[in-house]
Amino acid sequence: MAGELLQATGGRMEKLKQQLRQVSETHTSSSFTSSSSTKLRKISQGSSKTMEEHSGVQRKTSAVVESFSQVQKSPQIPEGESVPDFEEKLRPITAQEGDNAVFKAKVTGNPPPSVRWERASGLPLSEATKSFYDNINNQLILKIKNLAMEDADVYKCIAYNQHGEATYSVSLFVTENLALDLKKKLKKRSTEKRREERKPPTEEEMLKILAGADKKDYERICAEYGFTDFRGILKKLKEMKKKVEVEMVRVLKPLEDITAKADTNVVFDTILELKDPNIRMHWFLGTELLRIQYSLGKYEVKQMGTKHMLCISSVGLSDMGTYTLQVGDKRLSARLNVIDEPLKFLCDFKPKKVTERQTAVFEIRLSKKTDAPLIWKVNGKEVKRDEKFNISLSEDGLTYTLKIKDVKVSDTGDYTISTGDLTATVPLFIERIPIKFISHLKNVRVQERGKAHLECEMSSKDVHIRWLKDGCDITASLRYIFMREGKKAEVIIEDCELTDEGEYSVVCTQDNDEHKYVTAANLIVDERFATVKSGMSDTQCPTGSAAELCVVLDDEKVEGVWLKDGVEISELSGVQVFKQGALHKLIFSGVADAHEGKYTFRAKGAESEAVLTIADPPEIESSVLDLLGAQPVTVKAGQSATIKIPFKGKPLPKVTWYKDGVEVAEDERTKVERAADSTTLVLSRCVREDSGAVMLRLKSDCGTAVATLQLNVIDHPKPPQGKAEFLELSGRCIKMKWKAPRDNGGKQVTKFVIERRTAGKKSWSRVGEVESSTTIFSDDKVDEGQAYQYRIRAVNAEGMSEPLETEEVRAGEPIEPPGPASQPQVSNVTKSTMTVSWMPPAQDGGAPILGYILERRKRSSNMWLQVNKELLPETKLMVDGLVDGMEYEFRVTSVNRAGAGSPSAISNAILAKDPIRAPGLVRNLCVSDSTNSSISLRWTAPEQGDEPSGYILEVCSEDAKEWIKTTKIPITGTAFTVGGLQERMRYHFRIRAVNEGGVGETSELMEGVMAIPPPVAPRFDLQGKLQNQIVVRAGTALHLHLSFTASPPPLVTWLKDGIVTAGREIITKSNNHSQFLISSCQRSDSGVYRINLNNDYGEAHYNVNVRVTDFPRPPKNLRLEEEVPGTVTLQWDHTPDLADEDGGAHYVILKRDTSTSSWFTVAERVFSSKYTVTGLLPGRRYYFRVIAQNSIGDSEPLDSKEPLIIAKEKECFSGLQLKKYISPSRQVKPTFLLPLKDHAVFRGHDCTMSCAYQGMPTPQACWYKGDSNISDSPRFWHSTANGVCTLVIPTCGAKDGGEYTLVLENPLGMAKCSCNLVIFDKDDKVLLDSLANQANKEKLIL
C-alpha cells in the first residue's frame, strides 16, 4: 500500500515536470528593457507563469528572469555625481516550499540613492518578507521566510536619486514540497474530522497516512488522528517499507564520496535494478532539488543500462556538499569534497617602461580559473574597455591581457589588478620622445612701429612653452601676443619699439622630461623716419569756432609731438590730439584767446609749423545801436560834440566816419580817435551845418559793421524863406504872407516878429508878432496911400534870426474878384475819403483871398454839391462821407472882398477805394542750379510795399541787346527754371515784383550766368570703393566696378601696370561709374590696375592690386640619395609656380613605410628644392612624396617610383674571433664624415649644401662666405640636427657665387670644410659644357 502511494507520487511528479517543460518552452519570451537615456545592458529571459492542477493541488512556477535597466533624468550630471548603479547584482533563487529565500545587492550612486522593493505582478510583499540594510557588508537584503507557492514571482530592486533610477529584476522559483503538501492535506483533513466528531482511523488507513510523512512527524500525526497503538503501527510500517523496497529498487552499486580539485569535472554513478523503468528519480544537493534542465549545462544526468550518473562540470566550492538520489522511497547519498587551491598570480610584476605613442601590454596569468571578476584599475579608477584600453582573456581562461594603445604621459601611474582578495600593482612609466624643432626661430628685421612675427614648430604639441627676451621670461607680459596652434608657437609684437630689440628664445619642456629644448633668434628694430607729405598752413578763425591743424606724413607708423610757442602741449583746454594712420590733427573745439600762437608738429625727420590767429568780424553791441538810433546827439552851436562808440573785433578793423554819406576828413576842428575796443569822433566849435546823419563803418578781412546816428547842432533859426507875398494892399490894411525858415536852428520856432518902417526912413518899429503856426500878418494901422517896407524875423529858444525884408508896398489899390484857382489834385484816396488840394489863383483881384469854396459831383452827373459850409482858408481839404466804388470830380472857387471868382477847371474823376501800394525791390536774386540747357534761379519777396501777386523775370543773352520776358504771365512763386538755353552761353537776368498797385523796382544779377552744370572735380564714391588688394582664382571672373562724381563727365582710362589695357577685358563707362570685366582670368592678368578720371577741373585715380592664383603645378624629377646611414636626401625640380606665388607657396614632404598605406608628414613649409629626411629605420622600405602647397590648395603629388631600402648594419660572423670591444670616450673632436661638395646653380634657383659630421659634445656650427660670417644673416637659412649641417641659399643671384666654409668647433678642437658655388645662366653654353665635364670628373653637384 505504501509502495502504491510512492509510485503514484512519483508518476505525478514525472507528469508535472513534463508539463512544466512544455509550458516553459511554449511561453518563455524575451523581454527588452530600455530607457531614453541609457542603453540596454543585458538581455535576459522574461518571466512567465503556469498554473497546473493535479489531485486538487495548485502550483506556481516561474522561468528564470534576470534583467537590468537604468534611466537618466538629469540632462547634465555635475562632476562627482552619478546615476544609481548596482555594484553587486541580484541572483535568481530556486527554493522549496517552506524554505527561506534571501536576495542581496550592493548599490552605488551620488547622492546616495533610496531603495524600494516591488513584485512584478503588482502584488504586495507578503507579511513574512522583510527588507533591511546590512551595515557590515554594505548590502541591501530582502528576506522571505517560510516560502509558499504564492511567493513565486519576479522581484524588483529599484534604486533612485535626483539624477535617475536603476532597476534590477530577478525571479524567485518555489518548488513543491510533497511532504509539506501531504502535511497540509492531513492537517486540513484532521481539522475537518474534528469538526465532524470523527472516529480514529483504522490501522490500514493510518499506514497510508504515515507512508508519505517524515519519521519525526509520526508521533504527532498519530496523536492528531487519535491513533493510540503508536509502537505497533511503527513496526508494521517498517515491515511494509522493506517489502516495497525489495520489490521496487535494488541497489547494486551505491554512490561513493568523491574528492576533486576545483574547476574539474565530477561524475557520481550508481548501479540500480529498477522494477519500474519509468520510476521517477530526483537528485538533491543537501535539501535543494537540482533543476537539471535549468542548470545551463552545469548538471547532466546520464544512463547507460543500469548505470545512472550525475555529471557536474567545473566544480567549485559552492558545489561541495551531500548529493542524494531519491528513487521512489530509496535515497542514495554521497559527499563531494572540493579541494580549492589558493588563487595566485603566476607572473612577476616589474615596473614597465614604454616609449610614448607606443602600446603598453600587461599580461597576468592566474593559477586557476575564477568566477570572481578581474578588475583593472589605474590610480584607483577602474579601467573600462574602450578605444584606448583593450581587455582580453585567453581561451583557457587563465591569462588576462590589458593593452593601452597610443600611451601618453597622462597614462603614467600604478596599474592595479584585483580578483577577489588577490591584488597586485604594476607601475607604468612613459619615456618621453625628445622634442625636436621642425622649424626654428628665424632672425627678423622690422622698422619701428612695424609688426614683428616670430614662430617655430615643434615635433609635438603636448609641450610647455616659455618665451624669453634676453634671458627674461615674457610669457605673462601683455606687451606680446602669444599664439599656439597644434605644434606651432608664435609671438606677435605690434607697433615695435626700439626697446623691443633683442634675442628672443623659446624654451620647451614636457612632463616627465627634465631636458629643456631651446631655439632662439634676434629681432632687429630699425629706427623709423618720416617726411612731411602735406604740412600745415596759417589759420584764422572766429572766437568760439572749431578749427584744426593737419599734418600728413609719408609713414603712418611714425609718432609725433605738438608744440605751442616752442612748449610741448600736454594739457590745453579745448584741444584734442588726433592720429589716424599717417594723418596727425590738432583739433580745437572752440578757439579762444589762449589758443593763439605758433604751433609746431615734430616727428622723426619731419617738422611743420603754422600760426593760429583769431579773426573775429567787427561787432557793435545791439544796445549801443539801439541807443544811437533812439535819439539824436544834440549840442549847442559853438560847443564841441564827442561821439564814442565801443566795438569788438580781431584783428583791429579799419575805422571810417561818414557825415551825410561823405567820409569825414580830419582837420583842426575834426578829430578821430582810435583805440583797441572803441573809436571817438570829436567836432570842435560846432555850427548848425554840422547837423545831419553820422555813420561809423568798421571793416576788416572778416567782415563789416556799421553804426548810424543823428547829430543835431542847436542855433538860432534861419530867416524866413523866399520873398514875402502881400495878400492885400488896401487903404485899411496891408496883409502879407511868408514862408517858414528853411532851418529852425534845431529848435521849434516859437513866433515871428514883424517890423515896419515908412518909406524914406531908416528906423524900424515893431508892429506885431504872430505864432509860429501861421505865416500871415495883417497890418491894419496903415495910412491909405502911404508906402511901407516890412521885415520879418523868426524866433526860437536860442534867439532871433536874421530879418527877411520886403519890397516897398503902398496901401489903397483897387480890388476885383479873384481869378480861377488851379485844377484840383486828389490824393490819399480811400473808400470813404479823399484829400483835395489846389493852388491859389494867379490874380487875387487886388484884395486878399478870403477863402475857397470846394464842390464835388458824381461822374456823369450835372449836379454840384458844396463840400464846405464856410470858406476854406487853406488850399487843401480832406473830403469824407464818400460812397465806396463811386467816381467823383471836384472844382474850387476863390473868394475875396469883391466876391467869388470863376470856378477852377474840373479835376480828373477819381474812384473811391482803399489804395494799393506798388511792391518794393525783390531781394536775394541768385542762381540755385544750372545745366547745359537751363538755369534755375530763386529770390526773396520784397520787404517794402504791398504783397506782390507775381514776378516778371527777364533774360538777356550776352550777345543780345533787348530783355525778353521768360513767361507771358507773372511768375507766382519765388523760384523758376529758365529752359531752352544754349549750352555754354552767358545770360543776364533781372526781376520785378508786380501787383495791382503797380510794378516794383528792378533787381538784377550782378554778373552773367553760363548754362553749364556746376563744375565738380572728379572724385571716387567711397561707399562703393574697391579694396586695394584683390585675390582672384584662375578661371573665375575679374570684376572691378567703381563709382565716381564729376562735372563735366570725365575721361575714363583703365591701365594695367602703367599701360593702357587693350586685351580680353570688357570696359563699360557712364557719367558716374565704370566697370572693368575679364570673364575668365589667367595668371598673366595679375598686376596693378589703375583707373584715371580727368576733366577741366581736376583729375583722380585709384589703384587695385590684383593677384590671380591657382593650385600650384607639381614639382618634377624626384631624386633620392642615401648619403648618411639612416637618412635620405630628396632633390627635385621646382614647380614653375613657386616664383610667381605671393601667397606663401612651399613644399610638404611625406613618407610611407611599405608595410602601411598611410602617409606621414615629415616636414612642412619647405622652400628649397632639397630636403634631408632623418630618423629612418634600417632594413625598412620607404616611399617618399613631395607636394607643392599654396593658399589655394595642394598640387598633384610627386611620388618616388620605387621604394628606398634603408641599409642595415653589417652583421658579424659568430665564427670570427673578435677583439673585445672597448667603449671609446664620449668626448670626440669634430670631424667630417661626408664633406661639402662644389655646387653649380642656375640663376634664380635655390642652392642646398649639406654635409655629415661627428663630434661630442655637439659642436657649434658657423658658416662663412669668403671671410664674412653669414650664420645670422636673414638672407640664408641653415640648420644642424642629427649629425647633418644644411645651408640653403634661396633664389641665387650672381653675388651669391664664391667659396663657402663650414666651421665646427667644440672644446676638443675645430674642423673646417669648404666648397665653391658657381652661378650661371642658361645661355652660358661654354660654362655649361665645362661644368658638365667637371661634374663627371670631380665632385661637383649641378
Side-chain angles (χ1 to χ4, degrees):
M1 187 177 193
E4 293 175 358
L5 179 60
L6 290 173
Q7 187 176 0
T9 304
R12 186 177 61 184
M13 292 297 293
E14 181 65 22
K15 292 180 181 179
L16 178 61
K17 284 215 169 187
Q18 292 176 359
Q19 291 177 2
L20 285 175
R21 190 180 299 114
Q22 294 173 1
V23 171
S24 177
E25 292 174 356
T26 306
H27 293 88
T28 299
S29 61
S30 296
S31 65
F32 186 86
T33 306
S34 65
S35 65
S36 60
S37 60
T38 60
K39 296 181 178 179
L40 179 67
R41 293 192 179 180
K42 186 182 292 184
I43 298 177
S44 63
Q45 292 295 324
S47 66
S48 65
K49 294 184 179 181
T50 63
M51 299 294 295
E52 178 187 18
E53 288 189 8
H54 184 76
S55 299
V57 179
Q58 187 181 39
R59 305 182 57 206
K60 297 182 180 179
T61 63
S62 300
V64 177
V65 172
E66 185 177 359
S67 65
F68 173 76
S69 66
Q70 190 179 46
V71 178
Q72 179 179 327
K73 299 178 181 178
S74 301
Q76 291 184 351
I77 299 177
E79 186 176 357
E81 298 187 4
S82 64
V83 177
D85 197 357
F86 284 85
E87 184 176 347
E88 291 186 7
K89 302 174 176 56
L90 300 171
R91 291 290 180 261
I93 295 177
T94 301
Q96 274 191 339
E97 185 180 10
D99 291 342
N100 297 334
V102 179
F103 293 105
K104 297 180 181 180
K106 185 179 290 187
V107 179
T108 60
N110 190 15
S114 302
V115 178
R116 68 176 184 268
W117 295 85
E118 294 180 357
R119 295 178 63 170
S121 62
L123 297 175
L125 299 176
S126 64
E127 295 180 356
T129 303
K130 182 180 179 181
S131 62
F132 58 92
Y133 182 72
D134 184 358
N135 294 321
I136 298 176
N137 299 317
N138 298 324
Q139 290 179 329
L140 297 165
I141 298 178
L142 180 69
K143 187 172 184 181
I144 308 174
K145 296 182 179 180
N146 196 15
L147 288 172
M149 297 301 293
E150 292 77 7
D151 292 326
D153 204 342
V154 176
Y155 286 80
K156 297 181 179 179
C157 181
I158 303 173
Y160 57 92
N161 63 9
Q162 64 188 35
H163 299 309
E165 67 178 30
T167 303
Y168 208 95
S169 303
V170 294
S171 60
L172 171 61
F173 180 64
V174 181
T175 61
E176 188 177 28
N177 190 335
L178 298 178
L180 185 61
D181 186 45
L182 182 59
K183 289 179 182 179
K184 290 181 180 179
K185 290 183 178 181
L186 294 175
K187 187 176 181 180
K188 182 177 179 182
R189 186 181 304 167
S190 64
T191 303
E192 292 175 353
K193 286 182 178 180
R194 288 194 199 103
R195 293 176 184 176
E196 298 174 358
E197 297 180 357
R198 61 193 173 192
K199 297 178 180 181
T202 63
E203 185 176 358
E204 184 178 355
E205 291 175 348
M206 199 64 205
L207 287 173
K208 291 183 179 180
I209 294 173
L210 295 177
D214 291 338
K215 292 181 179 180
K216 62 181 180 178
D217 296 325
Y218 286 170
E219 186 175 359
R220 179 179 56 80
I221 296 172
C222 290
E224 288 178 355
Y225 282 88
F227 194 85
T228 58
D229 189 7
F230 179 67
R231 292 184 179 180
I233 198 66
L234 287 180
K235 187 177 181 180
K236 292 183 178 181
L237 184 60
K238 290 180 180 180
E239 293 177 355
M240 183 185 67
K241 286 186 177 180
K242 288 181 180 179
K243 293 180 181 180
V244 172
E245 288 176 359
V246 172
E247 294 175 357
M248 299 297 297
V249 178
R250 182 182 178 190
V251 179
L252 302 180
K253 179 181 182 272
L255 293 176
E256 296 178 354
D257 294 340
I258 299 176
T259 300
K261 293 183 179 181
D263 294 328
T264 59
N265 299 330
V266 173
V267 178
F268 283 101
D269 58 344
T270 181
I271 299 175
L272 302 177
E273 185 177 319
L274 302 178
K275 184 177 181 181
D276 183 5
N278 295 325
I279 191 171
R280 187 64 173 167
M281 293 183 180
H282 294 283
W283 286 92
F284 292 89
L285 173 58
T287 60
E288 183 178 355
L289 176 66
L290 297 180
R291 306 283 290 182
I292 306 298
Q293 65 271 33
Y294 300 120
S295 64
L296 301 177
K298 178 70 175 177
Y299 303 105
E300 185 178 1
V301 175
K302 297 182 180 180
Q303 182 180 356
M304 298 177 61
T306 58
K307 187 176 183 179
H308 298 268
M309 295 173 287
L310 173 64
C311 301
I312 308 173
S313 62
S314 300
V315 296
L317 294 178
S318 60
D319 298 321
M320 191 165 57
T322 301
Y323 287 82
T324 301
L325 172 62
Q326 182 174 345
V327 184
D329 195 34
K330 179 69 73 174
R331 295 176 69 89
L332 304 177
S333 298
R335 181 165 182 80
L336 173 62
N337 295 316
V338 179
I339 301 174
D340 188 13
E341 294 181 357
L343 182 67
K344 61 182 180 179
F345 296 115
L346 300 181
C347 56
D348 295 333
F349 299 101
K350 296 181 180 180
K352 183 175 289 292
K353 289 186 179 181
V354 179
T355 305
E356 187 180 8
R357 298 295 182 185
Q358 300 298 320
T359 299
V361 180
F362 294 98
E363 284 190 354
I364 304 298
R365 185 165 183 85
L366 301 180
S367 60
K368 64 176 182 176
K369 292 184 180 180
T370 178
D371 292 335
L374 189 139
I375 299 175
W376 292 88
K377 291 185 179 180
V378 55
N379 297 328
K381 185 178 179 181
E382 184 176 354
V383 174
K384 300 292 181 69
R385 182 172 183 176
D386 54 16
E387 294 180 355
K388 184 173 183 66
F389 298 96
N390 183 15
I391 302 174
S392 60
L393 178 62
S394 62
E395 294 182 358
D396 60 4
L398 297 177
T399 302
Y400 291 83
T401 304
L402 171 64
K403 291 184 180 180
I404 308 172
K405 303 175 183 177
D406 191 22
V407 295
K408 300 179 180 178
V409 178
S410 59
D411 297 325
T412 304
D414 293 334
Y415 285 77
T416 303
I417 308 97
S418 60
T419 173
D421 297 331
L422 193 62
T423 302
T425 301
V426 181
L428 174 64
F429 299 100
I430 307 301
E431 293 183 351
R432 300 305 304 271
I433 300 174
I435 300 173
K436 297 181 181 179
F437 289 97
I438 298 176
S439 61
H440 290 262
L441 293 180
K442 297 183 181 179
N443 295 335
V444 177
R445 179 185 292 272
V446 296
Q447 280 193 327
E448 185 182 5
R449 310 305 297 175
K451 181 178 179 181
H453 182 263
L454 296 168
E455 68 173 353
C456 65
E457 184 175 357
M458 292 74 68
S459 59
S460 173
K461 63 180 179 179
D462 298 327
V463 299
H464 306 291
I465 289 179
R466 288 191 306 122
W467 285 89
L468 305 180
K469 177 182 180 293
D470 297 330
C472 298
D473 195 335
I474 60 172
T475 306
S477 175
L478 300 178
R479 174 73 179 89
Y480 309 91
I481 301 173
F482 300 101
M483 301 181 68
R484 181 80 182 274
E485 182 178 356
K487 301 178 182 179
K488 293 184 179 180
E490 55 185 321
V491 61
I492 300 174
I493 309 174
E494 302 281 357
D495 297 333
C496 286
E497 300 177 356
L498 296 177
T499 56
D500 293 325
E501 187 172 273
E503 182 185 55
Y504 289 81
S505 57
V506 174
V507 180
C508 299
T509 58
Q510 56 184 349
D511 296 337
N512 297 345
D513 188 356
E514 297 180 354
H515 292 85
K516 294 183 179 180
Y517 306 88
V518 182
T519 178
N522 290 320
L523 171 63
I524 301 174
V525 182
D526 296 330
E527 191 172 3
R528 185 185 290 268
F529 294 93
T531 59
V532 177
K533 191 175 181 180
S534 175
M536 295 185 291
S537 58
D538 294 344
T539 303
Q540 291 182 344
C541 56
T543 301
S545 64
E548 61 181 32
L549 299 175
C550 302
V551 176
V552 180
L553 304 180
D554 63 346
D555 192 337
E556 64 180 19
K557 296 292 185 178
V558 175
E559 298 289 345
V561 63
W562 289 90
L563 300 93
K564 180 180 181 294
D565 298 328
V567 179
E568 183 177 350
I569 297 176
S570 58
E571 293 185 1
L572 186 58
S573 177
V575 178
Q576 179 185 1
V577 178
F578 175 79
K579 179 183 181 299
Q580 182 178 9
L583 175 65
H584 299 260
K585 285 186 180 182
L586 193 63
I587 301 174
F588 300 84
S589 58
V591 178
D593 293 340
H595 297 150
E596 282 190 307
K598 182 179 180 181
Y599 289 86
T600 305
F601 175 79
R602 289 178 184 171
K604 291 183 180 179
E607 182 173 323
S608 180
E609 294 181 348
V611 176
L612 175 66
T613 56
I614 294 179
D616 291 334
E619 181 183 3
I620 302 173
E621 293 186 1
S622 59
S623 59
V624 176
L625 296 175
D626 296 341
L627 181 62
L628 294 175
Q631 56 185 8
V633 178
T634 303
V635 64
K636 291 185 178 182
Q639 296 180 351
S640 296
T642 301
I643 305 172
K644 182 178 181 181
I645 300 178
F647 62 84
K648 299 177 183 178
K650 275 192 176 185
L652 194 65
K654 178 182 179 182
V655 178
T656 307
W657 289 88
Y658 294 89
K659 168 68 171 60
D660 293 332
V662 179
E663 184 177 354
V664 175
E666 293 190 65
D667 53 22
E668 61 179 5
R669 204 168 62 83
T670 304
K671 300 294 183 182
V672 176
E673 298 177 359
R674 298 173 176 85
D677 57 353
S678 65
T679 179
T680 305
L681 175 65
V682 180
L683 296 176
S684 304
R685 301 186 302 280
C686 290
V687 295
R688 177 61 182 162
E689 285 73 14
D690 292 332
S691 299
V694 178
M695 181 179 71
L696 170 62
R697 183 178 183 185
L698 304 174
K699 184 176 182 181
S700 70
D701 294 339
C702 302
T704 304
V706 175
T708 59
L709 57 97
Q710 195 69 27
L711 177 62
N712 187 16
V713 179
I714 302 173
D715 198 359
H716 55 265
K718 296 296 183 182
Q721 296 186 64
K723 184 179 179 182
E725 178 183 357
F726 290 93
L727 303 178
E728 181 179 353
L729 296 171
S730 64
R732 294 176 297 170
C733 177
I734 296 178
K735 188 176 183 180
M736 65 192 74
K737 181 180 180 181
W738 63 92
K739 294 182 180 179
R742 180 179 58 81
D743 184 7
N744 61 5
K747 288 289 187 177
Q748 181 68 34
V749 175
T750 58
K751 61 182 177 179
F752 293 97
V753 177
I754 297 94
E755 296 176 314
R756 182 182 73 181
R757 70 179 179 181
T758 306
K761 293 186 178 181
K762 293 185 179 180
S763 61
W764 294 86
S765 60
R766 186 170 181 173
V767 295
E769 60 183 30
V770 295
E771 295 181 356
S772 61
S773 59
T774 180
T775 57
I776 298 175
F777 178 74
S778 296
D779 185 10
D780 54 358
K781 296 178 182 181
V782 296
D783 296 332
E784 188 174 358
Q786 182 63 44
Y788 298 96
Q789 186 180 7
Y790 294 88
R791 65 180 183 183
I792 307 167
R793 293 178 185 267
V795 180
N796 64 7
E798 299 298 320
M800 189 177 296
S801 70
E802 294 296 323
L804 171 63
E805 295 185 356
T806 68
E807 60 184 5
E808 291 185 357
V809 294
R810 190 178 296 276
E813 292 182 356
I815 301 172
E816 295 180 355
S822 64
Q823 184 182 18
Q825 300 296 321
V826 181
S827 62
N828 298 332
V829 178
T830 68
K831 64 181 180 180
S832 60
T833 62
M834 296 181 186
T835 300
V836 183
S837 61
W838 59 91
M839 297 297 294
Q843 299 295 329
D844 59 0
I849 301 296
L850 299 178
Y852 302 93
I853 299 172
L854 179 60
E855 297 175 295
R856 66 176 172 82
R857 73 175 181 184
K858 296 179 182 179
R859 186 178 181 183
S860 73
S861 176
N862 294 325
M863 184 174 65
W864 290 90
L865 298 178
Q866 185 174 337
V867 175
N868 55 312
K869 295 180 180 179
E870 297 180 357
L871 292 178
L872 299 173
E874 302 292 337
T875 59
K876 186 176 182 181
L877 178 66
M878 185 181 74
V879 181
D880 56 5
L882 303 179
V883 178
D884 186 14
M886 187 65 69
E887 289 185 307
Y888 292 92
E889 296 176 337
F890 299 90
R891 68 180 182 180
V892 177
T893 301
S894 303
V895 178
N896 63 8
R897 286 187 299 170
S902 58
S904 67
I906 300 173
S907 69
N908 296 328
I910 303 299
L911 181 64
K913 67 176 184 178
D914 288 335
I916 298 177
R917 297 179 300 166
L921 185 67
V922 176
R923 300 174 297 131
N924 303 330
L925 177 63
C926 63
V927 177
S928 61
D929 196 5
S930 63
T931 65
N932 293 329
S933 61
S934 65
I935 297 176
S936 299
L937 301 101
R938 65 172 183 268
W939 56 87
T940 306
E943 292 181 339
Q944 308 251 344
D946 286 345
E947 182 179 359
S949 61
Y951 300 89
I952 299 175
L953 178 63
E954 297 175 298
V955 61
C956 178
S957 61
E958 192 174 29
D959 55 355
K961 297 182 180 180
E962 295 182 356
W963 291 89
I964 301 173
K965 292 183 178 180
T966 57
T967 58
K968 295 182 180 180
I969 60 176
I971 302 169
T972 57
T974 57
F976 186 78
T977 299
V978 181
L981 304 181
Q982 185 177 347
E983 185 177 359
R984 307 189 71 81
M985 175 66 74
R986 189 175 297 276
Y987 293 90
H988 296 272
F989 296 89
R990 68 182 184 183
I991 192 169
R992 291 177 293 169
V994 62
N995 63 9
E996 292 182 6
V999 179
E1001 298 180 18
T1002 300
S1003 176
E1004 184 176 350
L1005 282 177
M1006 299 298 295
E1007 297 179 357
V1009 182
M1010 188 174 292
I1012 57 173
V1016 177
R1019 65 176 183 271
F1020 289 96
D1021 183 8
L1022 297 180
Q1023 297 298 326
K1025 193 171 183 180
L1026 285 175
Q1027 296 181 353
N1028 294 98
Q1029 300 285 339
I1030 294 180
V1031 178
V1032 184
R1033 185 171 174 179
T1036 60
L1038 172 61
H1039 178 255
L1040 306 178
H1041 184 277
L1042 284 168
S1043 300
F1044 51 81
T1045 303
S1047 178
L1051 175 63
V1052 180
T1053 307
W1054 285 88
L1055 300 95
K1056 177 180 179 291
D1057 298 328
I1059 301 174
V1060 177
T1061 59
R1064 299 176 293 106
E1065 69 278 356
I1066 300 174
I1067 299 177
T1068 305
K1069 303 177 182 178
S1070 70
N1071 291 340
N1072 56 7
H1073 69 86
S1074 181
Q1075 176 177 287
F1076 184 93
L1077 176 65
I1078 298 178
S1079 59
S1080 179
C1081 56
Q1082 304 171 356
R1083 288 178 180 264
S1084 59
D1085 294 326
S1086 298
V1088 178
Y1089 289 80
R1090 168 176 288 193
I1091 177 174
N1092 282 341
L1093 307 177
N1094 196 337
N1095 67 3
D1096 296 337
Y1097 298 96
E1099 63 179 3
H1101 68 271
Y1102 185 78
N1103 292 340
V1104 181
N1105 191 351
V1106 177
R1107 181 164 62 89
V1108 182
T1109 184
D1110 200 353
F1111 292 105
R1113 284 167 284 185
K1116 298 180 180 179
N1117 192 15
L1118 179 61
R1119 302 176 297 280
L1120 308 178
E1121 181 177 357
E1122 186 180 8
E1123 297 178 342
V1124 178
T1127 65
V1128 173
T1129 300
L1130 280 65
Q1131 286 186 305
W1132 61 90
D1133 295 337
H1134 273 304
T1135 172
D1137 303 323
L1138 183 65
D1140 300 334
E1141 282 291 332
D1142 296 329
H1146 55 272
Y1147 297 101
V1148 178
I1149 314 299
L1150 301 98
K1151 69 177 181 179
R1152 180 174 69 85
D1153 194 324
T1154 54
S1155 62
T1156 179
S1157 60
S1158 300
W1159 288 92
F1160 295 88
T1161 301
V1162 175
E1164 296 177 332
R1165 302 189 64 81
V1166 176
F1167 293 91
S1168 66
S1169 61
K1170 183 177 181 181
Y1171 187 84
T1172 299
V1173 182
T1174 62
L1176 302 177
L1177 301 178
R1180 296 288 182 90
R1181 298 159 57 91
Y1182 292 95
Y1183 284 99
F1184 295 91
R1185 171 177 289 180
V1186 181
I1187 298 175
Q1189 189 179 81
N1190 63 6
S1191 58
I1192 298 299
D1194 298 341
S1195 70
E1196 294 294 328
L1198 173 62
D1199 294 344
S1200 57
K1201 297 181 180 178
E1202 298 293 334
L1204 180 67
I1205 303 175
I1206 306 301
K1208 292 185 178 180
E1209 296 181 359
K1210 296 182 178 180
E1211 298 180 354
C1212 297
F1213 296 97
S1214 59
L1216 297 178
Q1217 295 295 328
L1218 300 178
K1219 292 182 179 180
K1220 184 177 180 181
Y1221 175 74
I1222 301 176
S1223 175
S1225 173
R1226 295 180 62 84
Q1227 302 287 331
V1228 179
K1229 179 181 178 181
T1231 56
F1232 288 95
L1233 301 177
L1234 186 67
L1236 295 172
K1237 297 181 181 179
D1238 294 340
H1239 289 68
V1241 180
F1242 280 120
R1243 184 192 303 273
H1245 286 212
D1246 297 344
C1247 177
T1248 302
M1249 304 177 182
S1250 61
C1251 66
Y1253 69 91
Q1254 68 176 1
M1256 186 62 67
T1258 302
Q1260 181 71 29
C1262 192
W1263 288 88
Y1264 293 87
K1265 181 180 184 296
D1267 295 331
S1268 300
N1269 190 330
I1270 61 174
S1271 296
D1272 296 331
S1273 174
R1275 173 76 178 88
F1276 305 91
W1277 180 88
H1278 65 91
S1279 66
T1280 302
N1282 299 322
V1284 177
C1285 289
T1286 304
L1287 175 68
V1288 178
I1289 308 172
T1291 317
C1292 292
K1295 62 181 180 179
D1296 293 319
E1299 183 182 29
Y1300 288 82
T1301 303
L1302 172 62
V1303 178
L1304 300 177
E1305 184 175 4
N1306 69 3
L1308 301 180
M1310 180 178 66
K1312 289 186 179 181
C1313 183
S1314 301
C1315 69
N1316 290 318
L1317 172 62
V1318 179
I1319 309 300
F1320 60 92
D1321 291 329
K1322 296 181 180 179
D1323 298 334
D1324 298 338
K1325 296 183 178 179
V1326 177
L1327 179 59
L1328 284 173
D1329 294 340
S1330 64
L1331 290 176
N1333 295 330
Q1334 186 178 355
N1336 295 330
K1337 297 177 181 180
E1338 302 176 2
K1339 296 181 178 180
L1340 176 64
I1341 298 177
L1342 282 175

